[in-house]
Amino acid sequence: MYELDKEKFGTFLVQLRKEKGLTQKELAEKLYVSDKAVSKWERGLSLPDISLLQPMAEMMEVSVTELLSGRRVPEDQPLTVAEVEPLVTGRLVMTAQEQAAQREHRRQWGMWYLLALACMAAELFLVRGRLLSDEGVFYLLAPLMAAGFGAYLVFGAKEKLPAFYDQYRINFYSEGAFRMNVPGVHFNNRNWPHILNALRTWACVTMAAWVPAFCLVHRAASLALGDGMALSMLMLYLCLGGILGGLFIPVAVVGRKYE
């Protein structure tokens, strides 16, 4: 099967970037990627994500076909079918590579999730008499939510959004029973990978660290306030802040940054 010439693509990208007077960092910022990613493209070590081809071509004032072929195509000498077909085939190869990378990325997150879940189970076992009371069960809402959402985010969430998310400004994500609406954030395939990583990080950290953190804060607060209504209200607000803040603040920050 034909595979795109990464070195030819990279050389052409360097030429186009310099013609536009852009540095690697400036190009990376315009495409919402890291300058290391641009460097790898230009050195022929990797190829950009398929969702970046159209905006990159528009920025460089070439067609996607020219970008993939690694050369400008004169208007009076259009590419033949025989020349275009390998480019399409090459995109299929690149897509397969992307899928393999995504599977590996999901596998790594799966390992982190299972490790965090094991930590949470061990911690709950050690403090079972303290947090499994009628009042204490409410305080476990955060790690239990993290475990539930985390399972979906790690093993079930799509790594790429449908194309219409890139075409329209959509501030909600919906799939099955999972719903997410963050005002001011428009979901697309530029910020979605970062949003997923932020949510997965929240889930794993909450599962692994919630119980010991809660016990330490509860101990310190009880020494300062004593056991009573003030302590209960404080822990309630802290739990709600941990759940809502941990979920929505990271999504809002990275969503706007990479939008």
Side-chain angles (χ1 to χ4, degrees):
M1 181 176 287
Y2 179 89
E3 185 172 0
L4 289 176
D5 189 331
K6 296 179 183 178
E7 292 187 2
K8 189 175 181 180
F9 176 90
T11 301
F12 188 49
L13 180 59
V14 172
Q15 175 189 334
L16 294 173
R17 177 176 60 79
K18 289 183 177 179
E19 288 177 1
K20 293 297 180 182
L22 297 172
T23 64
Q24 287 185 345
K25 184 176 181 180
E26 289 171 338
L27 176 58
E29 289 175 350
K30 290 179 179 293
L31 294 172
Y32 301 98
V33 298
S34 67
D35 52 354
K36 292 182 180 180
V38 174
S39 176
K40 287 184 178 181
W41 301 339
E42 294 187 349
R43 288 182 290 153
L45 300 179
S46 65
L47 291 166
D49 186 273
I50 188 172
S51 63
L52 296 175
L53 290 179
Q54 186 62 43
M56 187 186 301
E58 292 176 356
M59 191 181 305
M60 299 302 180
E61 297 183 351
V62 295
S63 68
V64 173
T65 302
E66 289 176 312
L67 198 60
L68 292 175
S69 63
R71 64 185 178 90
R72 283 192 170 88
V73 180
E75 293 183 5
D76 58 343
Q77 297 178 11
L79 293 177
T80 64
V81 174
E83 291 173 315
V84 172
E85 184 176 4
L87 296 178
V88 176
T89 306
R91 277 306 306 160
L92 295 177
V93 171
M94 183 158 58
T95 300
Q97 293 172 342
E98 292 168 359
Q99 291 175 348
Q102 289 173 2
R103 286 194 296 269
E104 175 62 20
H105 186 64
R106 191 183 292 270
R107 186 189 69 81
Q108 292 176 354
W109 271 113
M111 293 176 60
W112 282 113
Y113 174 85
L114 294 176
L115 178 61
L117 188 63
C119 289
M120 184 182 77
E123 292 161 0
L124 288 176
F125 178 78
L126 293 175
V127 298
R128 59 191 182 280
R130 186 175 188 180
L131 287 180
L132 295 182
S133 62
D134 292 340
E135 181 183 0
V137 169
F138 174 80
Y139 298 138
L140 296 178
L141 184 60
L144 293 177
M145 283 182 60
F149 283 133
Y152 166 76
L153 293 165
V154 171
F155 301 108
K158 294 180 179 179
E159 299 288 338
K160 280 187 174 296
L161 297 175
F164 62 82
Y165 276 90
D166 294 329
Q167 298 170 358
Y168 305 100
R169 294 173 65 82
I170 300 174
N171 63 355
F172 68 89
Y173 172 78
S174 175
E175 183 182 7
F178 187 81
R179 300 285 190 275
M180 181 166 52
N181 188 338
V182 183
V185 175
H186 300 98
F187 297 98
N188 53 54
N189 281 301
R190 290 181 295 276
N191 61 15
W192 181 244
H194 302 283
I195 290 173
L196 266 185
N197 285 339
L199 289 172
R200 288 165 173 170
T201 300
W202 167 83
C204 291
V205 170
T206 300
M207 284 191 294
W210 182 268
V211 173
F214 175 85
C215 291
L216 288 173
V217 173
H218 188 276
R219 177 62 176 169
S222 63
L223 291 175
L225 301 174
D227 294 329
M229 182 60 69
L231 176 63
S232 298
M233 293 302 296
L234 173 63
M235 300 311 300
L236 172 63
Y237 290 138
L238 288 176
C239 288
L240 291 175
I243 296 171
L244 299 177
L247 270 173
F248 293 105
I249 292 177
V251 171
V253 171
V254 301
R256 290 171 180 168
K257 180 178 179 180
Y258 296 100
E259 185 179 320

